[in-house]
Amino acid sequence: MSLIETKYPQTAQMPAPLLRGQTVPPAAIANPRFSSQWMAAETLDADFIAEWTELAASASEPNPFYEPPLLLAALAHLPGHKQVRVLTIRDRLMANRLVMLVPLKITSTYRGIPARCAAPWRHIHTFLATPLVRADYEKDAVTGLKAHLAAEGIPLLRLHHMAADGPVSEAVREVADTAIATTRTFERAILNSELDAEAYLTASISKKKRKEYRRLKRRLADEGDVTFETPDMSDPACVEGVVLEFLELERTGWKGQAGTAIATRPAEARFFIDACRAAAAAGGLSPLTLRLDNQPIASIINFKGHGTHGDGLFSFKIAYDEGYARFSPGVLLELEMTARALTSKDVAWVDSCANPDHPMIDHLWRERRAMQDITLTTSKTTSAALLSITALSEKSAASAKRQIQTVTKTIKKSLLKRKAA
């Protein structure tokens, strides 16, 4: 019985699109030292999970969304997993060492254009899609990825929602002997500073705002005993408690009313629970809860991403009790997390995973992480014109999405003004 069969009985085997045991011949890869292979469910046993975990710890860029706890849970539960293939690349010279892993979704068209395209799988809860690549293997891994796809007749590779200034992105551009286009760039807030908490918050938040946040905390303390808690994640009972409290906070808020809370979607709830359990067991779950008289009124779930240049935290989700909205419990929780992260020796930085121009976190954290979407051809035989057409289509779609978001924001503001009047 495989690991997935053991942990997730309802997903006994991966879907048919996975090519069981198929290996691209070394001649198909630019450097025959490296081999590539699709992984099937029955091969994801304990030995492979151990290799995968070691790869994540040795990755040049941390990405918990492609580490075992989160990706296995997603493959077991979330919509779209039946179209996903997990590709691995190994170094034959170094005892077949695993040097790259990426879940890929392959489509027969690209925004209506009849051209096969592969892209790292981004489900609704994936906030970074940079492939897991062993440090110092970035160029070989990207070369092997392109060659593998070209050998299967897939002319386009879309690397989306990846860090723009990381070594993997740099390698993509350095080995780009084929056509390449950047179709989108954006930034999101990240906490990455050598300052202590007091100095950082003084520099990033105005004196007026700091005074207001202190006032809100005092007002909340008038309501009862205010505490911030990070329970023992090695205790399964504590993990269950944190998960259930978060789900309930989110469900009883506006997301529950809108039907977007995790608890209102069974598949997402199963994914979230299994991911948190597995991450906690691996030392990768880092929640923080704001309590009033021991009752949770705000909770944030963070996942740790591992890497050779230091571990990072990824702020997955935050929820709060809207009955206490006048005290801004979400902001108070973020301020506490900021102070703790800046004094922590376990994490180098915290990625907000937030949308660009986020109304809350962008005003607390000053640093920004550059993100990008890149589309490239996998071989020189693919027409550069095809890439130009697909890139134009991608940019047009992004522009249309921005226009819709702008109109939506305008309508919401108008409705709020009418309600206030």
Side-chain angles (χ1 to χ4, degrees):
M1 181 177 288
S2 71
L3 187 63
I4 285 185
E5 287 174 313
T6 301
K7 293 179 64 178
Y8 311 115
Q10 70 277 27
T11 311
Q13 64 179 30
M14 294 295 284
L18 288 176
L19 306 181
R20 294 192 168 99
Q22 179 175 343
T23 303
V24 171
I29 297 183
N31 186 347
R33 170 180 165 181
F34 297 89
S35 64
S36 53
Q37 183 179 17
W38 295 118
M39 298 302 299
E42 57 267 27
T43 66
L44 300 181
D45 56 14
D47 290 338
F48 178 78
I49 301 301
E51 284 188 280
W52 185 358
T53 301
E54 190 275 330
L55 168 65
S58 304
S60 58
E61 297 183 48
N63 186 358
F65 304 101
Y66 289 164
E67 291 187 22
L70 271 69
L71 185 51
L72 283 175
L75 288 171
H77 300 299
L78 293 182
H81 71 271
K82 291 184 178 181
Q83 289 76 45
V84 177
R85 302 178 178 186
V86 177
L87 181 67
T88 60
I89 295 179
R90 294 178 177 274
D91 183 350
R92 294 172 180 269
L93 188 61
M94 301 299 293
N96 223 26
R97 172 188 288 173
L98 186 63
V99 299
M100 181 180 188
L101 181 144
V102 58
L104 293 172
K105 188 171 183 178
I106 300 170
T107 57
S108 58
T109 62
Y110 184 95
R111 294 198 178 278
I113 299 168
R116 297 182 74 197
C117 179
W121 184 35
R122 274 197 68 219
H123 55 76
I124 190 172
H125 298 302
T126 305
F127 301 113
L128 184 68
T130 304
L132 277 185
V133 181
R134 187 178 296 275
D136 300 325
Y137 278 88
E138 294 85 1
K139 293 181 183 179
D140 292 313
V142 172
T143 299
L145 172 60
K146 288 176 57 182
H148 184 109
L149 297 176
E152 292 211 355
I154 302 170
L156 296 174
L157 170 61
R158 181 173 179 250
L159 295 169
H160 56 163
H161 225 77
M162 65 184 296
D165 54 359
V168 176
S169 176
E170 182 181 349
V172 170
R173 298 190 179 282
E174 287 186 6
V175 303
D177 56 349
T178 57
I180 183 171
T182 299
T183 55
R184 183 177 67 138
T185 60
F186 60 100
E187 292 182 331
R188 67 188 186 203
I190 187 172
L191 178 64
N192 187 7
S193 176
E194 297 297 327
L195 296 176
D196 60 34
E198 183 177 358
Y200 184 86
L201 294 175
T202 298
S204 62
I205 306 174
S206 69
K207 183 177 180 180
K208 182 179 179 180
K209 277 290 186 182
R210 296 198 308 274
K211 183 178 180 181
E212 173 64 10
Y213 293 146
R214 288 195 294 268
R215 185 185 70 83
L216 290 173
K217 191 173 182 180
R218 288 195 302 270
R219 285 184 56 200
L220 181 60
D222 291 339
E223 302 288 319
D225 184 29
V226 176
T227 57
F228 294 92
E229 177 186 81
T230 297
D232 181 8
M233 289 293 95
S234 65
D235 183 348
C238 288
V239 175
E240 298 295 309
V242 164
V243 170
L244 294 177
E245 284 180 347
F246 176 87
L247 290 174
E248 184 64 11
L249 279 173
E250 190 184 55
R251 185 191 65 80
T252 56
W254 68 268
K255 287 186 178 181
Q257 296 175 1
T260 59
I262 293 175
T264 64
R265 300 176 174 183
E268 291 181 34
R270 290 192 293 270
F271 154 76
F272 180 71
I273 293 170
D274 281 355
C276 286
R277 288 171 176 169
L285 183 65
S286 180
L288 182 63
T289 304
L290 169 57
R291 295 184 177 277
L292 181 65
D293 287 337
N294 204 37
Q295 294 301 310
I297 63 171
S299 176
I300 189 167
I301 300 294
N302 304 298
F303 289 109
K304 183 180 290 187
H306 304 87
T308 56
H309 302 298
D311 296 345
L313 275 187
F314 291 75
S315 292
F316 183 73
K317 296 285 181 180
I318 186 170
Y320 64 91
D321 186 336
E322 293 181 10
Y324 294 92
R326 64 189 183 279
F327 302 108
S328 297
V331 177
L332 296 180
L333 186 62
E334 289 283 7
L335 288 171
E336 178 69 17
M337 191 183 80
T338 299
R340 293 189 179 203
L342 290 172
T343 58
S344 173
K345 297 181 180 179
D346 296 330
V347 295
W349 40 263
V350 186
D351 189 332
S352 69
C353 297
N355 292 328
D357 304 317
H358 191 276
M360 186 262 282
I361 200 64
D362 274 24
H363 295 290
L364 300 183
W365 295 354
R366 296 176 299 159
E367 298 78 40
R368 297 292 179 264
R369 185 173 204 182
M371 304 287 291
Q372 66 181 357
D373 295 350
I374 297 176
T375 303
L376 63 155
T377 57
T378 60
S379 71
K380 295 180 180 179
T381 60
T382 303
S383 170
L386 173 62
L387 180 66
S388 298
I389 295 172
T390 55
L392 180 61
S393 174
E394 183 75 22
K395 290 178 181 179
S396 298
S399 177
K401 183 177 180 180
R402 286 195 298 271
Q403 291 177 13
I404 293 172
Q405 289 173 338
T406 300
V407 172
T408 302
K409 287 180 181 179
T410 302
I411 293 173
K412 286 182 177 179
K413 286 181 180 179
S414 177
L415 291 174
L416 288 172
K417 286 182 179 178
R418 290 181 184 179
K419 187 176 181 180

